[in-house]
């Protein structure tokens, strides 16, 4: 049976799930989205994802035409109809159909789309061996131009960084901000471990406030580990004892090499390995 996709209250077969070529989501990347996981039939951190979606929409003056409760129900129903218990959910709200000009006031029908699908995971050996990444020349969006806190449909900044990473043979890439500080990776937040303390760039560094990032910070603090949200430089990364990334799809993934420099001993460190276990328990419990 083909996967069903939710659009504006109706379910369509995947191949028939379409939006207009006049939708400003397509023409201008004018819209917002969320990537969410479901584990064992339970949607992980649904409230947090909906809150972030609504904040993103508010920041771009886009009114989502349904309530959070309706969106939550639509997500649960779409998962159920597709028989997905462990999967990935993409919630999208576009500005809707307009004219060919920019004016969002001429768009009258925001499209609310929910796709539920199998999840594309990083290869399992990466979690054992760790990932190699590079710092790319594409600077993360200036927060005063387009805040990285908005999860908008315009992901070109990240895509350009991803292309640079892929050209260097890396599936993730580290982006710096306009001040030259560490911001985040193309689709993941970054953490370092130094002398038992965990460090991660603050929101002001120009990052998406990852839901996994928040969950990991809470897990670490609960076990008494000090976590500092503090500006970081490439130098901090190079001399860290451990490095790991967090994201909805990636969960917690160790980084063992950055810009050809081994991080710590060049293998996943003990804190990261323990955290992977504990995050696993959190999501699968
Ligand atoms: N940064 C960026 C740019 C992202 O796209 C993502 C993935 N949504 C993240 C960080 C991680 O956020 P989350 O843990 O909410 O998936």
């Amino acid at each position: 049976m083909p996967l069903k996709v939710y659009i504006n209250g109706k379910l369509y077969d995947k191949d028939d799930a379409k939006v207009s070529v006049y939708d400003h989501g397509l023409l201008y990347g004018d819209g917002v989205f969320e990537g969410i996981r479901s584990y064992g039939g339970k949607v992980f951190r649904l409230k947090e994802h909906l809150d972030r979606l609504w904040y993103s929409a508010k920041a771009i003056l886009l009114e989502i035409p349904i309530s959070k409760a309706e969106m939550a129900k639509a997500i649960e129903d779409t998962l159920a109809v597709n028989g997905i218990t462990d999967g990935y959910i993409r919630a999208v709200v576009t500005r809707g159909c307009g004219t060919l000009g920019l004016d969002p006031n001429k768009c009258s029908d925001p499209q609310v789309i929910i796709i539920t699908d199998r999840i594309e995971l990083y290869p399992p050996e990466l979690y054992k061996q760790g990932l190699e990444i590079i710092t790319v020349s594409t600077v993360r969006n200036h927060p005063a131009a387009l805040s990285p806190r908005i999860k908008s449909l315009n992901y070109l900044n990240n895509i350009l960084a991803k292309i640079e990473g892929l050209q260097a043979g890396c599936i993730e890439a580290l982006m710096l901000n306009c001040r030259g500080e560490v911001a985040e990776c193309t689709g993941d937040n970054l953490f370092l471990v130094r002398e038992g303390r965990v460090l991660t760039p603050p929101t002001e560094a120009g990052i998406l406030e990852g839901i996994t990032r928040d969950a990991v910070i809470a897990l670490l603090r609960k076990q008494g580990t000090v976590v500092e949200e503090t500006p970081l430089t490439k130098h901090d990364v190079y001399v860290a004892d451990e490095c790991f990334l967090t994201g909805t799809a990636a969960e917690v993934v160790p980084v063992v090499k950055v810009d050809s420099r081994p991080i710590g001993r060049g293998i996943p460190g003990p804190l990261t390995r323990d955290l992977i276990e504990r995050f696993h328990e959190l999501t699968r419990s």
Side-chain angles (χ1 to χ4, degrees):
M1 224 192 25
L3 276 175
K4 300 277 188 198
V5 176
Y6 169 105
I7 306 178
N8 293 338
K10 290 204 187 108
L11 290 169
Y12 297 86
D13 286 351
K14 184 178 168 182
D15 289 345
D16 300 326
K18 292 176 179 149
V19 293
S20 163
V21 293
Y22 282 85
D23 193 305
H24 280 209
L26 172 72
L27 290 175
Y28 296 116
D30 189 355
V32 293
F33 77 101
E34 279 296 316
I36 314 171
R37 280 286 278 278
S38 155
Y39 296 97
K42 189 166 182 306
V43 182
F44 185 67
R45 296 288 198 269
L46 180 55
K47 180 187 179 302
E48 288 80 353
H49 280 287
L50 293 180
D51 285 347
R52 189 170 68 182
L53 186 68
W54 256 256
Y55 282 131
S56 292
K58 184 161 193 202
I60 67 161
L61 291 97
L62 169 60
E63 204 172 313
I64 300 179
I66 60 174
S67 68
K68 285 185 193 174
E70 285 167 327
M71 173 82 83
K73 183 169 184 318
I75 288 174
E76 308 273 6
D77 290 351
T78 311
L79 281 169
V81 85
N82 288 315
I84 295 175
T85 50
D86 291 278
Y88 184 81
I89 301 141
R90 174 62 55 91
V92 181
V93 185
T94 73
R95 185 78 68 180
C97 240
T99 61
L100 292 180
L102 288 180
D103 189 351
N105 296 322
K106 298 203 169 117
C107 302
S108 52
D109 61 341
Q111 301 290 296
V112 179
I113 301 163
I114 298 164
I115 307 167
T116 57
D117 213 331
R118 319 284 154 201
I119 173 117
E120 265 184 54
L121 295 168
Y122 283 149
E125 57 272 17
L126 273 187
Y127 292 84
K128 295 237 148 43
Q129 287 154 20
L131 197 64
E132 172 173 1
I133 62 173
I134 57 157
T135 312
V136 291
S137 68
T138 305
V139 170
R140 189 74 178 101
N141 277 337
H142 193 300
L146 176 59
S147 173
R149 294 171 75 180
I150 302 171
K151 202 161 167 59
S152 88
L153 290 180
N154 192 323
Y155 248 54
L156 268 182
N157 183 224
N158 312 59
I159 290 167
L160 293 180
K162 178 99 180 176
I163 289 169
E164 279 191 74
L166 289 173
Q167 280 171 348
C170 296
I171 57 173
E172 243 316 1
L174 175 59
M175 303 178 78
L176 306 178
N177 65 19
C178 51
R179 294 190 292 268
E181 300 159 349
V182 170
E184 60 182 337
C185 289
T186 67
D188 297 297
N189 292 111
L190 178 132
F191 287 78
L192 302 177
V193 182
R194 192 166 69 206
E195 291 170 6
R197 300 160 92 85
V198 174
L199 312 172
T200 195
T203 309
E204 304 80 69
I207 59 167
L208 183 76
E209 296 160 297
I211 310 270
T212 321
R213 173 182 182 272
D214 280 352
V216 157
I217 291 174
L219 265 182
L220 289 166
R221 286 188 175 149
K222 207 168 113 196
Q223 70 175 24
T225 305
V226 175
V227 183
E228 287 172 29
E229 295 179 58
T230 184
L232 297 169
T233 62
K234 274 201 299 187
H235 180 79
D236 293 309
V237 180
Y238 297 157
V239 302
D241 301 324
E242 299 181 34
C243 175
F244 60 87
L245 309 181
T246 64
T248 292
E251 302 183 322
V252 179
V253 60
V255 173
V256 292
K257 213 181 228 192
V258 180
D259 300 338
S260 307
R261 293 148 175 90
I263 302 302
R265 294 173 46 231
I267 54 168
L271 190 145
T272 307
R273 280 188 279 123
D274 182 58
L275 185 63
I276 290 172
E277 282 289 300
R278 282 151 43 71
F279 189 78
H280 210 264
E281 282 163 22
L282 176 73
T283 53
R284 274 85 170 170
S285 59

